[in-house]
Amino acid sequence: MEQMNEAQRKAAAHREGPLLVLAGPGSGKTLVITARTKYLVETCKVPPEHILVVTFTKAAAASMRERFCGLMGGERPPVTFGTFHAVFFQILKHAYGYTASAVAREEQKRQAALETAERMGLDIPDQAEFLKGVLGEISYVKNEGIRPEEYVSRACPGGSFPRFFREYGRRMRAQGLLDFDDMLVYCRELLMARKDILAAWQRRYRYILVDEFQDVNAMQYETVKLLAGSSANLFIVGDDDQSIYRFRGARPQLMRQFQKDYPQADTVLLNVNYRCGKEILHCASRLIACNKQRFSKEIEAFHSGGAPVRIHPFAGVAEENAFLLGDIRKKHEAGVPYREMAVLFRTNVQPRQLMEKLMAYNIPFRMKDGLPDMYSHFIARNLLAYIRLGMGERSRGLFLSVMNRPNRYISREAVEKPQVFFSDLLNYYSGRGWMEERIRTFEEDVSCLEGMSPYTAIHYIRRVIGYEDYLREYARERGMEEEELLDVLAELQEASRPYASYEEWFAHMKEYQEEWKRQMEEQAKEREAVQLMTMHSSKGLEYQTVYLTEANEGLNPYKRSVTDEEIEEERRLFYVAMTRAKEELHICWVRERCGRPAQPSRFLRELSEPEEPKASRGAARGKGARKPGGRREACAGNPEICGREGRAEALRHAEGKGVQKP
């Protein structure tokens, strides 16, 4: 404890009762948790088997266990370090005799979902997208403890989600399978129903430490409270400013609820950031202070150096990528390892163009979220089907994929032959004039595609054939945002722009997909690589240099975020992304995206001109906690530099360089 700061020592030496530890980015929370565990074992003489340390991932639990054993001089006392799911499964295992084979593998969950969709006759144009969406929604409903009828699904069309939810559950139970979310639901039900079992586990785990508390959902919190019982030895560590998993049920309000549930709890603020340079931390703190529903904090930087935050405007994504490519190469030549550079995106479809550039210049990279292959998206498959029909192909599968996109009311019975010709369709619908007219229009549209460039062809499919209207209708039927699908469509059209012929574009796609497969194989073993990831995936990581891309309205904050609560979470996400940087932070925005004018993110203005926040609820008590507002130094207010030059000087600097203010 001698090497800890005062706030860390206070938290680590806490003995009995509840404690809330507010741990900002880079504040040494893992050290505090492991040191407090050591303190309980060595100083307080707590039997180690009575201590439970809970976190969210197996990797985090394993890392914490190793850190603890290191502090103990290599000894391995039987403290339980585990994920929520592992702990809950252990309880269920003792009660019901579950074995590991009962835990559903991902492929078993996907198969059950596919079989359910097939039995219900659901139209699934993109299998991967559907499975990701519907399984995520099932998880959300279970974790929120709500009835499926109360949930508006985006994955299941036409109000079919409640039936899908129950059919999927029955199919899983029939196979004797449970998923991670079932572990939570069943465990809570067990502990509430069986007081004897609850009492046994309360005697077993007399001290509970919870990491990343801002990420817990209501069901997890209620279950942990049950285990803590009347002794209330709950040591929770988290940062409401880093709560970014609302879609999983995480609520930063639970940290304030903790104070209401345990009014006797003390609060300690870990107020020193050991990661970020002073300028980066200063700007990030200015941004997050705009959130009103938060614990107010003033965090100090341990490192006084670091470059000012650089904000770069670009004409478009191509110019932004040229800057990223050049700056990464320059830094690497100057001795910065590739692995110490990270490019962060709001969504995982954004990096496609940058990936192509990195491949072309043989710069190694890793995509933490998995490499997105947009050419496998159902929209890409539909566009290519239209184009191949225009080139003369007539296979039944190709025809079926687009004949009713948009709906032309063509029956599958009309296209039973392996090769489909328009003359056969006209014969099938002979005498039905309105259908004959639709088929002739379809044939004419297909023939028009034959000699076009890929870019023009996609425009024709979108606007003349009516595929864009089909996507809008598709989105409405499924409760989806139209813009999500239209963005994929626009991105595909933009990707086709450089190619004069279909053959050139197809050759590029083949080359891209081959390289995509090669990169997927190489990524598992490649360590010396530039890191590409979404902002969500960057949480908990740190890099010497970080680039935030396309900091534009519609992405940051994301276009679906409209309520105050949603905007505050988007601001927290941007704050998390900013605080991944140790020495350099570059924020880029573009004036045009997908052929449409784009505006800089409101967060860029807030970096230099934050609104004076209203009194925050639940101001942090304890060492290092201060009242909101009253910052002594302001960020520079221009779009190129966010440092400590002062607003007037910074604006003069921007005008001199011809940089446009956001």
Side-chain angles (χ1 to χ4, degrees):
M1 291 202 184
E2 297 77 18
Q3 298 177 347
M4 292 181 171
N5 63 43
E6 185 179 348
Q8 289 173 333
R9 283 195 298 272
K10 181 177 179 181
H14 178 74
R15 180 164 183 170
E16 299 287 335
L19 180 71
L20 169 61
V21 180
L22 294 173
S27 61
K29 67 180 180 63
T30 302
L31 172 62
V32 166
I33 292 171
T34 51
R36 197 249 175 168
T37 306
K38 177 184 178 182
Y39 176 80
L40 289 175
V41 173
E42 289 193 337
T43 304
C44 304
K45 306 303 179 185
V46 174
E49 60 270 20
H50 290 327
I51 302 172
L52 170 64
V53 182
V54 192
T55 188
F56 278 85
T57 68
K58 289 172 64 176
S63 173
M64 207 168 289
R65 182 184 294 108
E66 291 307 311
R67 293 272 304 263
F68 169 67
C69 293
L71 289 178
M72 298 295 291
E75 294 182 30
R76 303 185 73 84
V79 173
T80 299
F81 290 87
T83 64
F84 280 99
H85 295 124
V87 173
F88 296 155
F89 182 71
Q90 190 72 8
I91 293 172
L92 293 173
K93 180 180 176 181
H94 278 78
Y96 299 129
Y98 279 121
T99 64
S101 62
V103 181
R105 300 187 303 274
E106 281 302 311
E107 57 266 30
Q108 291 175 308
K109 291 165 58 179
R110 289 194 295 267
Q111 186 61 34
L114 278 176
E115 290 172 359
T116 302
E118 184 177 345
R119 182 173 180 178
M120 292 175 60
L122 299 182
D123 176 29
I124 305 174
D126 190 323
Q127 188 180 103
E129 193 69 22
F130 170 77
L131 291 175
K132 177 183 176 183
V134 76
L135 291 174
E137 290 179 338
I138 289 172
S139 174
Y140 180 86
V141 168
K142 289 179 180 179
N143 279 285
E144 286 291 284
I146 60 178
R147 297 172 64 247
E149 288 81 5
E150 299 170 352
Y151 181 76
V152 179
S153 170
R154 298 172 62 235
C156 288
S160 59
F161 178 76
R163 181 186 166 197
F164 188 98
F165 181 92
R166 292 187 173 90
E167 288 287 338
Y168 169 81
R170 277 194 287 269
R171 190 170 293 273
M172 292 284 283
R173 287 191 295 275
Q175 299 176 66
L177 297 174
L178 71 162
D179 60 26
F180 283 164
D181 305 303
D182 291 329
M183 293 179 196
L184 169 59
V185 175
Y186 296 167
C187 183
R188 183 169 179 270
E189 290 175 351
L190 171 68
L191 295 178
M192 291 182 69
R194 292 287 302 273
K195 300 302 181 185
D196 55 332
I197 293 177
L198 173 61
W201 286 102
Q202 287 173 339
R203 288 192 297 271
R204 168 71 185 275
Y205 294 132
R206 290 167 41 207
Y207 294 85
I208 302 175
L209 296 83
V210 182
D211 186 25
E212 303 285 9
F213 188 79
Q214 76 279 350
D215 294 337
V216 305
N217 58 49
M219 294 280 278
Q220 289 167 332
Y221 178 44
E222 291 301 320
T223 307
V224 165
K225 283 201 301 180
L226 284 172
L227 288 173
S230 58
S231 64
N233 285 323
L234 264 178
F235 184 90
I236 70 167
V237 183
D239 181 11
D240 56 327
D241 289 336
Q242 296 186 79
S243 180
I244 59 173
Y245 297 121
R246 188 171 181 268
F247 59 91
R248 296 180 189 166
R251 296 288 185 271
Q253 297 93 319
L254 291 178
M255 297 189 73
R256 294 192 290 275
Q257 184 62 40
F258 180 83
Q259 290 186 316
K260 296 177 183 177
D261 293 339
Y262 300 97
Q264 75 276 29
D266 196 5
T267 300
V268 174
L269 170 65
L270 304 185
N271 63 324
V272 179
N273 179 301
Y274 291 91
R275 176 191 301 150
C276 305
K278 203 169 187 178
E279 308 293 351
I280 294 170
L281 180 63
H282 181 73
C283 278
S285 298
R286 292 280 281 184
L287 173 73
I288 201 61
C290 294
N291 273 3
K292 298 175 176 60
Q293 299 300 316
R294 63 185 291 265
F295 290 96
S296 62
K297 315 171 187 73
E298 187 155 331
I299 310 296
E300 301 171 1
F302 181 77
H303 302 290
S304 59
V309 176
R310 301 280 175 175
I311 303 180
H312 309 270
F314 297 105
V317 174
E319 187 177 302
E320 178 187 65
N321 287 338
F323 161 74
L324 293 171
L325 190 69
D327 207 60
I328 288 169
R329 294 176 71 186
K330 181 174 69 176
K331 283 185 170 51
H332 185 64
E333 290 168 0
V336 179
Y338 283 132
R339 65 178 179 275
E340 281 294 332
M341 293 181 271
V343 185
L344 309 187
F345 303 85
R346 177 58 181 84
T347 72
N348 66 357
V349 299
Q350 290 174 252
R352 194 266 313 167
Q353 293 184 46
L354 177 62
M355 285 163 48
E356 290 187 356
K357 291 290 185 185
L358 294 171
M359 289 178 190
Y361 284 87
N362 203 30
I363 295 177
F365 66 91
R366 282 191 76 180
M367 186 73 190
K368 189 172 188 290
D369 306 272
L371 288 170
D373 179 13
M374 71 171 182
Y375 297 120
S376 66
H377 196 284
F378 84 88
I379 294 176
R381 295 198 302 270
N382 288 171
L383 295 177
L384 292 174
Y386 267 115
I387 288 172
R388 292 190 184 281
L389 288 174
M391 297 172 71
E393 293 188 34
R394 291 293 182 268
S395 70
R396 181 175 184 268
L398 206 64
F399 202 89
L400 281 172
S401 67
V402 294
M403 70 180 188
N404 286 318
R405 296 179 180 176
N407 199 353
R408 300 177 178 91
Y409 302 96
I410 300 173
S411 169
R412 293 176 71 92
E413 296 174 357
V415 290
E416 291 184 338
K417 295 179 180 179
Q419 295 290 308
V420 180
F421 299 97
F422 287 101
S423 57
D424 293 338
L425 282 176
L426 288 169
N427 288 333
Y428 184 89
Y429 286 104
S430 179
R432 283 177 270 185
W434 65 281
M435 282 301 299
E436 291 178 332
E437 182 181 348
R438 286 175 183 274
I439 292 166
R440 288 194 180 95
T441 300
F442 188 11
E443 182 178 20
E444 183 180 338
D445 284 337
V446 165
S447 64
C448 285
L449 295 172
E450 183 178 2
M452 294 181 178
S453 69
Y455 185 88
T456 305
I458 294 176
H459 180 83
Y460 189 88
I461 295 166
R462 291 180 67 173
R463 304 296 169 80
V464 181
I465 291 179
Y467 186 74
E468 189 168 305
D469 291 334
Y470 158 75
L471 288 181
R472 294 182 191 279
E473 182 180 351
Y474 177 89
R476 284 194 297 271
E477 288 177 353
R478 288 158 175 78
M480 299 174 64
E481 290 289 335
E482 295 177 4
E483 290 299 316
E484 286 189 21
L485 298 178
L486 297 182
D487 280 354
V488 174
L489 187 57
E491 176 71 13
L492 285 161
Q493 184 173 3
E494 192 64 28
S496 73
R497 187 190 290 271
Y499 307 100
S501 68
Y502 297 140
E503 289 76 14
E504 285 184 35
W505 193 35
F506 293 166
H508 163 74
M509 278 189 276
K510 182 180 179 182
E511 181 182 340
Y512 173 86
Q513 289 178 312
E514 287 176 353
E515 181 64 17
W516 177 82
K517 290 176 182 176
R518 189 186 70 80
Q519 288 282 351
M520 287 289 285
E521 294 170 357
E522 290 293 322
Q523 281 197 19
K525 55 187 178 183
E526 180 64 74
R527 287 183 51 82
E528 185 50 42
V530 177
Q531 306 297 304
L532 274 59
M533 68 192 76
T534 61
M535 293 178 174
H536 280 100
S537 294
S538 71
K539 187 169 176 293
L541 304 175
E542 59 183 43
Y543 302 95
Q544 183 174 322
T545 301
V546 171
Y547 304 90
L548 307 188
T549 64
E550 294 180 74
N552 288 85
E553 286 291 308
L555 285 171
N556 298 285
Y558 197 60
K559 55 198 164 194
R560 286 207 311 264
S561 301
V562 292
T563 67
D564 289 344
E565 185 180 12
E566 290 167 341
I567 294 296
E568 290 212 350
E569 175 153 47
E570 290 289 313
R571 191 176 285 110
R572 292 195 294 269
L573 181 59
F574 205 79
Y575 170 78
V576 166
M578 292 181 70
T579 53
R580 302 310 95 196
K582 294 188 288 187
E583 296 181 16
E584 283 192 44
L585 175 61
H586 298 265
I587 305 176
C588 307
W589 65 277
V590 296
R591 296 191 175 98
E592 182 180 281
R593 292 189 71 248
C594 299
R596 297 191 293 266
Q599 297 300 317
S601 168
R602 70 191 71 179
F603 300 152
L604 300 189
R605 292 191 295 273
E606 292 171 354
L607 289 177
S608 55
E609 296 179 319
E611 296 177 4
E612 187 67 24
K614 295 177 183 177
S616 301
R617 296 182 182 180
R621 291 178 283 133
K623 190 67 180 178
R626 296 173 184 156
K627 294 181 180 179
R631 277 205 165 274
R632 295 185 297 275
E633 300 167 276
C635 288
N638 80 92
E640 182 171 309
I641 299 177
C642 182
R644 299 190 176 184
E645 301 176 16
R647 180 164 175 75
E649 182 179 347
L651 287 174
R652 284 195 298 273
H653 181 85
E655 290 164 0
K657 290 212 167 193
V659 178
Q660 178 183 333
K661 290 191 293 179

